[in-house]
Amino acid sequence: MAVAMAMASQGKAATIERLWQQFFSDPSQWWDTRFIKRNLKYPDFKHKYGKKALWIDNRFNPPWVHARLAAMVNCQQQERGRSSDSIVRMEQLWQEFFSDPSQWWDNRFINKKSSNYPDFEHKSTHEGLWIDGWLNPPWIEGKMAIITSGQLQSDARIRSRAPDSFCNDNLSKLCQEGRLKEALHVLELMLKQNTQAPINTYVVLLKGCAKRKALAEAKQVHTLIIQSGLDSDIFLGNTLVDMYAKCGSVLNARKVFNTMPQHNVFSWTAIISAYADHGQGEEAINLFQQMQQTGIAPDKVTFVVVLKACARTAALEQGKQLHSDIIKCGIESDVVIGNTLINMYAKCDCIKHARQVFNKMSERNVVSWNAMIAGYAQNGLGKEGLGLYEQMKQAGVQPNNVTYGILLKSCASSAALNHGKQLHSDIIRSGFEPDVVVGNTLVDMYAKCGCLEDARQVFNKMIEKDVVSWSAMIAGYVQNGLGKEALALYEQMKNEGVQPNSVTYVILLTSCASIAGLEQGKQLHSDIIRSCCESDVIVGNALVDMYAKCGCIEHARKVFNEMIERDVVSWNSMIAGYAKCGCIDDALELFNNMNERNVVSWSAIIAGYAQNGLGEEALALYDQMKQEGVLPNNVTYVILLNACASIAAVKRGKQLHTDIIRSGFQQDVTVGNTLVDMYVKCGCIEHAHEVFNNMNERDVVSWSTMIAAYAQNGLGKEAMSLYEQMRQEGVQPNSVTYVILLKTCASNLALEWGRQLHLDVIRSGCKSDVSVGTTLVDMYAKCGCIEHACRVFNNMHERDVLSWNVMISGHAQQGLGREALTLLEGMQSEGMIPNAITYVSVLSACSHCGLVDEGRHLFDSMFEDYGVIPTMDHYACIVDLLGRAGCLADAEDFINRMPMQPNVVVWRTLLGAAQHHGHVEIGRHAFDCVMKVEPENDAAYVLLSNTYAAVGQDG
């Protein structure tokens, strides 16, 4: 090899030496291009009539070249005048070009690969001209403006000499860069020169149009194909069908397919794929059947396309038939076919068949494992999916970002926080943490599991954040009821220059609707108008919904009327808006005026009746809905079950339960949760437990609902037992769960349970939740541990009015009146406004501690200071305060001066005080007043009897 290379070098050196000898024998036959060369690749000397070239710094030059150049007088003279000679020569060349352009090649649109290539090249001498050349005379630019490229080409005086492959390379480059119009211009120039473009040239352009979804340019190429008489070519026809499909025009794809003189397997696959990719799976399956009738055998790609269509339409029987055909064709072992079969069976809710295919596969790749894991996740079998993930690792298959995305979504849907955290650790170890898609899914998982601190931590650590990242974090705040934090993050998003999209706006509008944040909603509306997202029908629907839920039904109707495009959701949102505002007649009128009504329309009007306390009418509409052949969905059933719960219609609830089983919604987790809630509210705890046990998938809401059922029915032990089972199954309790359980501990005075729950709250990260903190304070106070209650209260980062009320009430119950008054002062100093409940607690504390003057002062000032109007409870507190202090006459006088009719509680309070102090006359009067309101009040008889007994009289 070394010898051969040495011989080749010697041969090249000998050739270059001969060229230098020719140069020095007659330099006038050579152009000196050293001052006009565009880069090092351009030669220093170029022969005027041949393709010979010389470089001064060539490593193969003979050693005497530099000495000869220095000694050569002619060359020295040429050097002195070289610059001016070059300018003169350049002007001569341009004059020759404009006198007869037909002698020059125009390379600008076809042959010019880079700026080093000349724009025009002489056909004989191969001398070049550059439009932007620095030696050009000043008149060139104006001359070129008069004689354009288009004029030159139309005169047919310049001909391209590029081979087909070279032309295609340039067209491909233009298409890749998105310069489709320039590519089209090149093709049109070729055709005007009567140069027949090869078929591959059209294919390159069509693929470029498909990639950019440039339908207008694609139609122009199609026209040129027809004009060229190539429209009957089957290869071009197939490419046209595929192009139109990728540009979103299935109709044009079908037209091309129908006009093709013949079809092959690629033609059929292209048109089937067009329908399958655009949500028309049934038509795709029909076309496949037509294909088989023509006798054309499908290939692997065809089977994959049709299987995907079966998956999208849940066409299980057709999918099974395809599976049989695949076995007959002997391609079942193909890994792509196997993966698609798994996906098809999983989407058709046939997970056993999917696993059978997976188990039989002789070769599996990461896509195979992902497909099977996704199948389990889609069918609510998250545990099995995680088990398969462990098997995948044991088999030595490295999970990818798709694997982690599927698993994290499964954890999010089932609130499996522990599994999610384990996956997070695996993601860090595998190096996928910087992946933006994985990061977004982690944020979503933590947010849906109620761990916003972890979600925000992941979000803050993300090196790259896209609009999905911001939207996921904002959605996390919204889902957890933190609307203010969501809006603050939105402002930060804008400050960092990230443009929100329609999804972001819909999430934020939902947040405004949930917190009745009208002003924030109006600001968002302004931002939406500026971002040009107002025309998006989904955003418009969210605006209608936001205004309606904020009570601005006129604004909602204005947005609705101004919408350029309205879909059935728009109408449904407006109907729901009217219903929400109690305008049920307007809602019904809008409903009746709809041209098209779907299940959501019916659900909206049914919800309107249910929300306005018209449960029977809502159930009657459900019957009408079924009679009109509209099938209810999971939302409809949730609304109806809530209606049954509100009117305790357990019989109708059981009928709905039967309908739910028939319709296949019994495994829907939201429907299951609402069924449990309905049975609980109707007092059927056993039925609720049965539904809960039969649920394939249970989220944190399922567990919390069942725990609440036990708690509300006085079954505290069962509630705690279920809580332990919940944790064992890896479901992370949320703030709602802890509030329910802590209230159970408070009502049962179960201090030890409460302390254990307190530890769990700290470990779960829920201690910062205001409602959880408040319930902890209440639990400790009711269990008599006022010091623990104070410690929790003082450690709370955020406190609301309820927190203060609970703390004041706790001290009142322990007879700590002075401390309760001190807490009221602390509450006021922090700018917190006391409400009616606050004053009930404080007045009760004054009553228990005999603080008469303080209590009367508070009662007299509560309206003046804070606008709190005294209620019957406040009057009862003052009667109790005066009665306990022995001021019975004052208490009776106070009752007589009440601006409202005293109720039984007020009179019975006075009766109790009379009994305590042995005041028969006042006691008898109070008893008579109780009897006028409640003749059957047994407690009043007992109190009166005790009053007589206290003074030794016989009642």
Side-chain angles (χ1 to χ4, degrees):
M1 178 65 77
V3 174
M5 289 177 67
M7 291 177 66
S9 298
Q10 289 174 5
K12 193 168 187 178
T15 302
I16 290 171
E17 186 170 9
R18 283 196 298 273
L19 287 174
W20 277 113
Q21 288 169 349
Q22 290 175 20
F23 169 78
F24 286 116
S25 65
D26 189 2
S28 64
Q29 300 299 309
W30 295 74
W31 292 114
D32 186 349
T33 58
R34 284 178 289 173
F35 283 83
I36 61 171
K37 64 189 290 184
R38 298 172 77 87
N39 57 36
L40 294 175
K41 292 181 180 179
Y42 210 79
D44 296 302
F45 302 103
K46 187 177 180 182
H47 201 277
K48 293 180 179 180
Y49 306 107
K51 294 185 178 180
K52 302 171 186 177
L54 290 169
W55 284 265
I56 293 172
D57 59 351
N58 193 327
R59 66 188 179 92
F60 292 108
N61 284 348
W64 45 264
V65 167
H66 284 281
R68 289 285 299 273
L69 281 171
M72 193 175 70
V73 177
N74 289 338
C75 193
Q76 289 172 344
Q77 291 174 346
Q78 189 176 358
E79 281 183 31
R80 286 193 296 271
R82 182 174 295 119
S83 182
S84 59
D85 289 347
S86 298
I87 292 171
V88 171
R89 179 57 186 163
M90 192 61 64
E91 187 163 10
Q92 289 173 351
L93 288 174
W94 277 111
Q95 287 170 348
E96 290 176 16
F97 169 77
F98 286 114
S99 65
D100 187 5
S102 65
Q103 299 302 311
W104 295 75
W105 297 114
D106 186 350
N107 297 328
R108 288 173 296 166
F109 296 103
I110 299 177
N111 299 330
K112 186 162 182 170
K113 283 187 171 181
S114 69
S115 59
N116 297 327
Y117 274 69
D119 296 305
F120 304 104
E121 187 177 352
H122 199 278
K123 292 181 179 180
S124 301
T125 66
H126 302 288
E127 290 175 284
L129 290 171
W130 284 263
I131 293 173
D132 59 351
W134 63 280
L135 292 176
N136 285 349
W139 48 267
I140 290 300
E141 189 174 345
K143 190 82 171 173
M144 284 302 299
I146 297 170
I147 304 177
T148 64
S149 167
Q151 289 171 318
L152 290 168
Q153 299 298 341
S154 62
D155 291 340
R157 292 182 292 171
I158 299 179
R159 294 286 182 266
S160 171
R161 59 182 174 82
D164 295 343
S165 61
F166 194 43
C167 175
N168 288 339
D169 288 344
N170 281 274
L171 283 172
S172 294
K173 186 179 179 184
L174 289 171
C175 291
Q176 287 169 4
E177 294 173 357
R179 296 156 62 187
L180 296 174
K181 290 184 178 177
E182 292 180 51
L184 261 171
H185 182 57
V186 171
L187 181 60
E188 287 168 349
L189 289 179
M190 291 173 66
L191 296 175
K192 285 178 181 177
Q193 296 168 16
N194 295 322
T195 302
Q196 178 63 58
I199 287 172
N200 199 38
T201 304
Y202 293 106
V203 171
V204 168
L205 266 169
L206 289 171
K207 287 183 176 179
C209 293
K211 185 178 179 182
R212 300 276 172 175
K213 300 191 186 312
L215 186 59
E217 287 81 1
K219 287 182 176 179
Q220 291 178 49
V221 178
H222 191 179
T223 302
L224 293 174
I225 289 170
I226 294 169
Q227 290 171 356
S228 302
L230 297 171
D231 51 320
S232 61
D233 183 89
I234 191 168
F235 183 55
L236 271 179
N238 295 344
T239 312
L240 278 165
V241 171
D242 181 66
M243 176 276 298
Y244 276 124
K246 287 176 179 172
C247 288
S249 182
V250 179
L251 185 62
N252 279 299
R254 187 60 179 266
K255 283 180 181 178
V256 172
F257 179 81
N258 290 341
T259 55
M260 287 173 69
Q262 58 179 333
H263 302 121
N264 59 15
V265 65
F266 302 108
S267 319
W268 283 99
T269 303
I271 192 64
I272 291 168
S273 180
Y275 280 100
D277 292 341
H278 287 82
Q280 300 183 48
E282 291 180 1
E283 182 60 23
I285 295 167
N286 290 336
L287 280 166
F288 174 71
Q289 291 168 348
Q290 291 178 36
M291 172 189 175
Q292 289 178 307
Q293 290 167 6
T294 62
I296 295 175
D299 63 6
K300 184 178 77 172
V301 178
T302 318
F303 279 122
V304 168
V305 169
V306 183
L307 282 169
K308 286 180 179 178
C310 291
R312 290 191 181 107
T313 56
L316 180 60
E317 292 308 313
Q318 290 90 335
K320 286 181 176 179
Q321 183 58 53
L322 280 169
H323 193 173
S324 299
D325 295 343
I326 286 165
I327 293 169
K328 289 173 188 172
C329 294
I331 56 173
E332 189 185 18
S333 60
D334 183 274
V335 68
V336 177
I337 290 286
N339 296 344
T340 317
L341 277 167
I342 291 169
N343 178 64
M344 183 274 294
Y345 279 123
K347 292 275 176 68
C348 291
D349 296 331
C350 203
I351 199 70
K352 288 183 180 178
H353 283 71
R355 187 59 192 258
Q356 286 171 5
V357 172
F358 178 81
N359 291 340
K360 288 180 181 178
M361 288 176 73
S362 54
E363 178 192 353
R364 299 188 197 113
N365 57 17
V366 67
V367 179
S368 317
W369 291 90
N370 289 348
M372 195 63 236
I373 291 169
Y376 280 126
Q378 290 157 10
N379 285 270
L381 302 169
K383 284 185 183 178
E384 288 78 356
L386 288 162
L388 196 63
Y389 164 67
E390 293 300 328
Q391 290 180 36
M392 177 185 186
K393 291 192 294 180
Q394 290 168 9
V397 180
Q398 178 62 43
N400 60 13
N401 57 349
V402 176
T403 321
Y404 289 121
I406 294 164
L407 290 163
L408 287 169
K409 285 179 182 176
S410 176
C411 291
S413 65
S414 59
L417 180 62
N418 292 337
H419 292 309
K421 285 183 175 180
Q422 183 59 53
L423 283 168
H424 192 176
S425 300
D426 292 352
I427 286 164
I428 293 168
R429 280 193 292 270
S430 61
F432 279 105
E433 194 177 26
D435 185 283
V436 67
V437 178
V438 172
N440 295 344
T441 320
L442 272 168
V443 170
D444 181 65
M445 182 275 294
Y446 278 123
K448 285 180 177 169
C449 288
C451 294
L452 284 178
E453 290 180 10
D454 290 318
R456 189 59 189 260
Q457 192 175 4
V458 172
F459 177 80
N460 290 340
K461 283 183 178 179
M462 287 176 71
I463 299 166
E464 179 190 353
K465 298 187 192 86
D466 57 14
V467 66
V468 179
S469 318
W470 290 90
S471 299
M473 193 65 237
I474 290 169
Y477 282 125
V478 173
Q479 289 158 6
N480 286 272
L482 300 171
K484 289 181 181 178
E485 288 79 355
L487 290 163
L489 193 63
Y490 165 66
E491 291 300 326
Q492 185 184 336
M493 176 186 185
K494 290 194 295 179
N495 292 337
E496 294 194 16
V498 181
Q499 179 61 43
N501 60 14
S502 57
V503 175
T504 320
Y505 286 124
V506 169
I507 292 166
L508 287 162
L509 288 168
T510 304
S511 172
C512 292
S514 65
I515 62 172
L518 180 59
E519 291 307 313
Q520 297 94 324
K522 285 181 176 178
Q523 182 58 54
L524 276 171
H525 194 172
S526 300
D527 292 351
I528 287 164
I529 292 169
R530 281 192 291 269
S531 68
C532 301
C533 285
E534 193 179 23
S535 58
D536 189 304
V537 68
I538 299 172
V539 174
N541 295 343
L543 276 166
V544 170
D545 183 64
M546 181 275 294
Y547 279 122
K549 286 179 178 173
C550 289
C552 288
I553 199 67
E554 291 180 3
H555 281 72
R557 188 59 192 256
K558 187 173 183 289
V559 172
F560 177 80
N561 291 340
E562 290 176 355
M563 286 175 72
I564 299 167
E565 179 190 354
R566 288 194 293 251
D567 59 12
V568 69
V569 178
S570 317
W571 288 85
N572 295 345
S573 299
M574 197 64 236
I575 291 168
Y578 275 129
K580 181 78 175 176
C581 294
C583 306
I584 197 67
D585 292 337
D586 292 316
L588 188 59
E589 183 184 354
L590 206 62
F591 176 78
N592 291 331
N593 288 335
M594 287 180 73
N595 294 326
E596 177 192 354
R597 291 194 295 235
N598 63 7
V599 63
V600 182
S601 319
W602 284 94
S603 299
I605 194 67
I606 289 169
Y609 279 104
Q611 289 162 3
N612 285 277
L614 303 169
E616 292 292 346
E617 289 81 349
L619 291 164
L621 268 174
Y622 167 65
D623 294 333
Q624 184 184 337
M625 174 187 181
K626 289 195 295 180
Q627 287 169 7
E628 292 193 17
V630 180
L631 296 175
N633 62 11
N634 56 346
V635 176
T636 320
Y637 285 122
V638 167
I639 294 165
L640 290 163
L641 287 169
N642 285 328
C644 291
S646 66
I647 60 174
V650 69
K651 187 176 180 181
R652 286 305 303 266
K654 287 180 178 179
Q655 290 172 0
L656 280 170
H657 192 174
T658 303
D659 292 349
I660 287 165
I661 293 169
R662 287 200 197 103
S663 61
F665 282 108
Q666 72 271 22
Q667 293 307 330
D668 182 282
V669 67
T670 307
V671 173
N673 294 344
T674 319
L675 267 169
V676 171
D677 183 65
M678 183 273 295
Y679 278 124
V680 169
K681 287 178 178 172
C682 290
C684 300
I685 195 77
E686 290 182 3
H687 283 77
H689 192 251
E690 185 181 350
V691 172
F692 177 80
N693 286 339
N694 289 333
M695 289 173 71
N696 284 343
E697 180 188 351
R698 294 186 289 229
D699 59 12
V700 66
V701 179
S702 318
W703 290 91
S704 299
T705 304
M706 198 63 231
I707 289 169
Y710 284 128
Q712 290 160 11
N713 285 272
L715 302 170
K717 286 184 180 179
E718 288 79 355
M720 288 300 297
S721 176
L722 199 61
Y723 165 68
E724 292 299 329
Q725 185 184 338
M726 174 187 186
R727 291 200 304 163
Q728 287 168 9
E729 293 195 16
V731 181
Q732 177 64 35
N734 62 12
S735 57
V736 175
T737 321
Y738 287 121
V739 167
I740 294 165
L741 288 162
L742 288 167
K743 284 182 178 179
T744 303
C745 293
S747 62
N748 289 284
L749 304 179
L751 182 59
E752 289 307 312
W753 285 352
R755 284 176 174 166
Q756 182 57 52
L757 282 169
H758 192 177
L759 293 173
D760 293 347
V761 165
I762 294 168
R763 282 193 288 265
S764 70
C766 287
K767 64 177 181 178
S768 59
D769 187 282
V770 180
S771 60
V772 173
T774 301
T775 318
L776 273 167
V777 171
D778 185 56
M779 183 274 296
Y780 278 123
K782 285 179 177 172
C783 289
C785 295
I786 198 68
E787 291 181 6
H788 283 74
C790 289
R791 194 176 302 130
V792 173
F793 180 79
N794 292 331
N795 289 332
M796 287 175 70
H797 299 297
E798 182 185 352
R799 295 185 286 239
D800 58 14
V801 175
L802 183 59
S803 312
W804 286 95
N805 290 349
V806 165
M807 195 62 192
I808 292 168
S809 176
H811 281 79
Q813 289 164 9
Q814 298 297 318
L816 303 169
R818 293 288 178 190
E819 289 80 356
L821 290 170
T822 303
L823 281 167
L824 177 65
E825 291 172 3
M827 178 183 185
Q828 292 166 329
S829 67
E830 287 194 12
M832 201 71 68
I833 299 173
N835 60 16
I837 297 170
T838 315
Y839 279 103
V840 168
S841 298
V842 177
L843 290 172
S844 178
C846 292
S847 175
H848 283 84
C849 297
L851 303 173
V852 177
D853 292 337
E854 289 86 346
R856 297 193 75 160
H857 172 72
L858 284 169
F859 180 84
D860 293 338
S861 63
M862 62 191 239
F863 176 73
E864 186 177 336
D865 291 348
Y866 295 105
V868 177
I869 300 171
T871 65
M872 197 68 73
D873 290 336
H874 297 105
Y875 284 104
C877 284
I878 294 297
V879 171
D880 186 56
L881 172 75
L882 296 170
R884 282 176 185 264
C887 306
L888 295 178
D890 290 341
E892 188 175 23
D893 180 59
F894 179 80
I895 294 172
N896 292 333
R897 289 187 288 107
M898 281 176 62
M900 63 190 79
Q901 190 68 32
N903 65 4
V904 171
V905 175
V906 172
W907 287 115
R908 199 169 59 200
T909 302
L910 182 61
L911 177 56
Q915 180 248 314
H916 180 72
H917 292 283
H919 203 301
V920 176
E921 184 180 347
I922 290 177
R924 183 69 201 192
H925 174 64
F927 173 79
D928 292 340
C929 291
V930 170
M931 289 299 103
K932 288 178 183 178
V933 182
E934 284 186 13
E936 304 299 325
N937 194 307
D938 294 335
Y941 282 102
V942 174
L943 286 169
L944 182 63
S945 176
N946 290 339
T947 303
Y948 283 120
V951 295
Q953 293 183 18
D954 186 3

